[in-house]
Amino acid sequence: MSNYVTAIGLDVHARSISACAFDPMTGEVSRARFGYDPASVAEWALGFESPKAVYESGPTGFHLCRALRALGVDCAVGAVSKMHRPAADRGRKNDRRDAEWLARLLACRNVVEVWVPDERTEAA
């Protein structure tokens, strides 16, 4: 398991990414919003101490994970079927809250990571 200090949750859509960085030692939370641009996300994430990012598996695929890893950001894709939301949160979905929820799950090491295939395998 990698050692990281800052947990970053990403709520990823085809045209936008909402991000939330959470430092569990200080409780500090930082938020940002990007167009679908891995370089901008990586630049922002690398401004934190030992960052690790996570986003939910889904229709956006694994491109963002591979791109962030290539840019030096430790990134994982979480198995959405293994993430349990409190019942009160199910009806209040928004990108900003989802990104923070992912960051907090990652900070407490409660994310089941999925295997990230290379481009050729994903295309098959």
Side-chain angles (χ1 to χ4, degrees):
M1 184 180 296
S2 65
N3 292 325
Y4 55 91
V5 174
T6 306
I8 298 176
L10 303 172
D11 191 55
V12 181
H13 298 280
R15 293 188 181 107
S16 68
I17 299 171
S18 293
C20 178
F22 174 64
D23 184 337
M25 303 304 275
T26 64
E28 184 178 351
V29 174
S30 299
R31 292 180 178 84
R33 188 160 174 83
F34 306 95
Y36 193 90
D37 180 18
S40 296
V41 175
E43 182 180 346
W44 179 77
L46 291 172
F48 297 100
E49 183 180 353
S50 302
K52 180 170 182 173
V54 66
Y55 66 93
E56 295 175 315
S57 59
T60 57
F62 301 100
H63 172 264
L64 179 62
C65 185
R66 287 190 297 264
L68 289 176
R69 287 177 178 177
L71 293 167
V73 177
D74 187 7
C75 184
V77 178
V80 72
S81 63
K82 301 292 184 183
M83 296 180 185
H84 302 287
R85 278 191 190 276
D89 285 352
R90 290 195 179 121
R92 304 179 316 165
K93 179 171 174 18
N94 71 38
D95 298 346
R96 181 177 161 182
R97 188 177 292 120
D98 287 351
E100 183 173 343
W101 176 71
L102 285 167
R104 291 182 185 275
L105 277 180
L106 183 62
C108 64
R109 302 188 187 315
N110 201 9
V111 172
V112 176
E113 296 181 20
V114 299
W115 172 67
V116 178
D118 59 28
E119 289 180 24
R120 183 176 173 182
T121 304
E122 184 179 11

